[in-house]
């Protein structure tokens, strides 16, 4: 099972009547998959962390549940499951559609949900 997360606020893609700006996806057994938005400067964990901490950003999952910045940060940085098993990285190499940061965080440049 997977869950997608979105940001809402006064920025491109963040309108409340839209789907929202896609932050990324969590999925059982896998580390968080980030959606890269180079046009907005959102290409690393640090970028996303600063962005979701802004006062004008609301985070919501695909089921309509609001998520606090602290909860989102925890979801984005989890490396082990609730059972204590290591979560797998989504990607292990870079190409035109994806990359992995030095911290081991996977980013996709293409749309996914």
């Amino acid at each position: 099972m997977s869950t997608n997360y979105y940001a809402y606020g006064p920025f491109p893609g963040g309108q409340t009547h839209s789907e929202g700006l896609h932050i990324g996806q969590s999925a059982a057994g896998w580390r968080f998959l980030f959606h890269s938005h180079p046009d907005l400067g959102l290409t690393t964990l640090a970028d996303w962390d600063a962005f979701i901490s802004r006062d004008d950003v609301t985070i919501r999952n695909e089921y309509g549940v609001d998520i606090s910045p602290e909860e989102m940060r925890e979801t984005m940085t989890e490396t082990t499951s609730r059972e204590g098993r290591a979560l797998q990285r989504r990607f292990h190499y870079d190409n035109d559609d994806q990359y992995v940061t030095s911290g081991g965080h996977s980013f996709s440049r293409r749309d996914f949900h």
Side-chain angles (χ1 to χ4, degrees):
M1 186 170 134
S2 65
T3 302
N4 287 284
Y5 297 88
Y6 301 90
Y8 297 89
F11 42 83
Q15 297 77 16
T16 55
H17 64 276
S18 71
E19 184 176 72
L21 181 68
H22 193 218
I23 299 170
Q25 181 186 78
S26 64
W30 299 94
R31 289 181 73 177
F32 192 79
L33 176 58
F34 290 88
H35 193 146
S36 177
H37 295 279
D39 54 325
L40 299 176
L42 299 170
T43 60
T44 67
L45 172 62
D47 297 337
W48 271 115
D49 190 35
F51 185 81
I52 66 169
S53 298
R54 292 175 20 182
D55 289 336
D56 62 349
V57 173
T58 299
I59 305 161
R60 191 169 294 134
N61 69 22
E62 66 184 289
Y63 307 108
V65 177
D66 285 355
I67 307 295
S68 71
E70 295 77 21
E71 288 176 281
M72 190 72 242
R73 191 172 297 110
E74 184 177 320
T75 298
M76 293 187 317
T77 59
E78 283 179 324
T79 58
T80 57
S81 69
R82 291 183 186 137
E83 297 80 27
R85 288 187 221 118
L87 299 177
Q88 301 299 309
R89 286 193 318 195
R90 299 285 187 105
F91 308 132
H92 295 279
Y93 58 90
D94 297 351
N95 66 29
D96 289 344
D97 292 331
Q98 65 196 34
Y99 61 94
V100 180
T101 64
S102 59
H105 301 285
S106 298
F107 281 78
S108 177
R109 293 182 182 101
R110 61 188 169 97
D111 287 338
F112 65 94
H113 301 276

